Amino acid sequence: MTQLPPTCRAIHLVERPVGEPRRADFRTVETALPEPGPGEILVRNTWMSIDPSTRIRMDEVGSGYMPSFEIDRPIEGWAVGEVVRSHDPALPVGGHVLHPFGWREFSVMAAEAPGRMGAVPIEVRDDAPAHLYLGALGWVGLTAYVGLFDVAELRDGDVVFVSGGAGAVGGLAIQIAKLRGHYVVGSAGSAAKVAYIRDELGADAAFCYQDGDLPAQLRDAAPDGIDVYFDNVAGDHLEAALDALRPRGRVALCGAISAYNEVEAPPGPRNLFEAVAKGLTLRGFLARMYPERLDEFRREMRGWLAAGEVVYPETVFEGLEQAPAALTAMMRGENVGKTLVKLD
Amino acid sequence: MTQLPPTCRAIHLVERPVGEPRRADFRTVETALPEPGPGEILVRNTWMSIDPSTRIRMDEVGSGYMPSFEIDRPIEGWAVGEVVRSHDPALPVGGHVLHPFGWREFSVMAAEAPGRMGAVPIEVRDDAPAHLYLGALGWVGLTAYVGLFDVAELRDGDVVFVSGGAGAVGGLAIQIAKLRGHYVVGSAGSAAKVAYIRDELGADAAFCYQDGDLPAQLRDAAPDGIDVYFDNVAGDHLEAALDALRPRGRVALCGAISAYNEVEAPPGPRNLFEAVAKGLTLRGFLARMYPERLDEFRREMRGWLAAGEVVYPETVFEGLEQAPAALTAMMRGENVGKTLVKLD
């Protein structure tokens, strides 16, 4: 049996943030190393994912999405790790798992089962290192993939607009749409990100929403309108897209990062009537609603990554204590690509 | 050749209304009877439809829906009439046509063609009188029909919520959903209309939005939530429905009558994120986007009407001069069912 430390640390939520989280909303708590019960495993976490949904779950009222975090209990989030103790023969010591109990150094859990979140074994290999299961080969990648193909029902010749194009999901959506031969427009929040979207990700046009007049910038980027809008930010981007969408256009509603820090719910698009006039479809989704697409997606994505056809940058913070700072940086849009925390 | 009068009247728009239209925004103009040109016909209108879309087209900025009316020109709207002069062998004198050039006693037009609005022959018979082509057998009926089956993709067992349930479209949607065995909730703006929805149209539950707390009333009417929302009013109804919709629920966005009189565009739903969390689909539509469904719809609707399985009340105003008052009454929700103007 591997030598394990007697104690381990986790980050707890001690105060519900109003607006942007402050360091004082979090506390690092050291406890005795937990013991897995019958059927359970102990996982030494190696990588943690920092996700926008974590901010939503800090609020008292969830969104029907995932439950709100409890006060004085560990925060949760996607993580990968190595099984170090096991009372489940299907998840042996030495194997790797993906699970939703991050923000701590060690986690105890059972295997995922219908109606129960838990550990899912992952196949770690040279062309699929563990941390990619938190990103390009995980929910992030599946979100971009099913958002385009299943939710927005991408068709040959569609002009595609992706907001949050420098983010983890948006960046993959841009590249996948380009691989399929589409004209793709991306938006982001700084000149550096716009250059990245155009030069590194290959978007045909890109603009910075900080430059103002979103509708005009979108019109300049796609003078004949758009057919698909991959929405990572909602708010004014969605309004501009509704104006720009052509008849029978489709919107994949993927998230609303612009709203997560808002105390008051922001107003929805004032021009939703465009959907009536043009026969538009808006469809919300979460990647986990499409588990049947996971195998095909991973096969295709591994190929793209191996061939260098898809780039997938990561911003890595080192050590558990950095998780709150990583969350804030991601919410502020300071990162490029996927935000991760590497443990030990 | 029928004896025709030397002059005829039309209602012109002379001022763009701000908010609710006033009588002074309209003027009745008498002119010489127009002569049909080559390929054209002259139609003596017998019935005119009063539609919410007419109010939108009075504003300077259209909605991409249909063009804005010109000042000092006749208002337009759906009408049926008899061909009284014809230079088109396909539309002979004595035949009946449906066309979009109402708000006048006589209209000149050519046959409808790709890219051109115009006259469409209708089959007037005992079980299908002319005025029903402006309602139950026309765009109104097709709106209810495709809104449920094609747009909301109605499935066995779905719980259905219809706003504007005492209106022409809403009333048909409620009855069609009931004929297919669904649990149906309707909303309207007065106690009398609520009673009508429940007692005459057969809704399982109905409530009056004037009584306040729309979300609570909808929860009481459908405690386990809804699967389909047929949206005739937008605004707060759409917000309440987004909260009540169950996973994979669907919204048919049919209109936004609550907004047509607004000077400022109203905010959209503040809870659109529910669509992400629950994988909801919102799809806008106009009946004319589904012409391929017209024949099947008319066959089925004639059967329902003949069997007394669908009731279709009409509020009839007599004479061209009453058209502005009819429009205002309809926008205020003073009518039950379809609003028509009968021209002797």
Side-chain angles (χ1 to χ4, degrees), chain B residues 48-49 74 80 93-94 101 119 122 124 133 139 149 201 214 261-262 276 278 294 319 321 341:
Chain B
M48 304 183 338
S49 174
V80 291
V93 168
F101 304 110
I122 55 175
V124 173
Y133 285 90
W139 297 121
F149 297 127
L201 304 183
L214 208 55
N261 269 334
E262 303 285 339
V276 178
K278 297 190 286 198
L294 202 49
E321 295 274 15
V341 173

Side-chain angles (χ1 to χ4, degrees), chain B residues 96-170:
Chain B
H96 295 265
V97 295
L98 170 69
H99 66 81
F101 304 110
W103 289 70
R104 60 202 95 171
E105 292 171 326
F106 287 82
S107 307
V108 162
M109 71 201 72
E112 184 182 78
R116 182 182 72 194
M117 306 285 279
V120 177
I122 55 175
E123 188 190 356
V124 173
R125 42 193 246 189
D126 282 353
D127 66 351
H131 65 90
L132 280 189
Y133 285 90
L134 296 174
L137 294 176
W139 297 121
V140 168
L142 186 63
T143 300
Y145 192 86
V146 302
L148 287 172
F149 297 127
D150 299 77
V151 181
E153 299 178 38
L154 195 63
R155 294 167 200 158
D156 283 352
D158 279 346
V159 171
V160 178
F161 170 41
V162 180
S163 59
V169 169

Side-chain angles (χ1 to χ4, degrees), chain B residues 123 125-142 144-145 168 171-173 175-176 179 196 200-201 294 296-314 338:
Chain B
E123 188 190 356
R125 42 193 246 189
D126 282 353
D127 66 351
H131 65 90
L132 280 189
Y133 285 90
L134 296 174
L137 294 176
W139 297 121
V140 168
L142 186 63
Y145 192 86
L172 289 174
Q175 295 176 87
I176 294 171
L179 281 168
Y196 164 75
E200 305 295 321
L201 304 183
L294 202 49
E296 187 191 343
F297 145 71
R298 279 191 177 143
R299 198 164 46 241
E300 202 156 14
M301 182 61 80
R302 273 200 306 262
W304 287 329
L305 290 166
E309 291 177 320
V310 162
V311 300
Y312 182 72
E314 296 168 325
K338 175 67 186 173

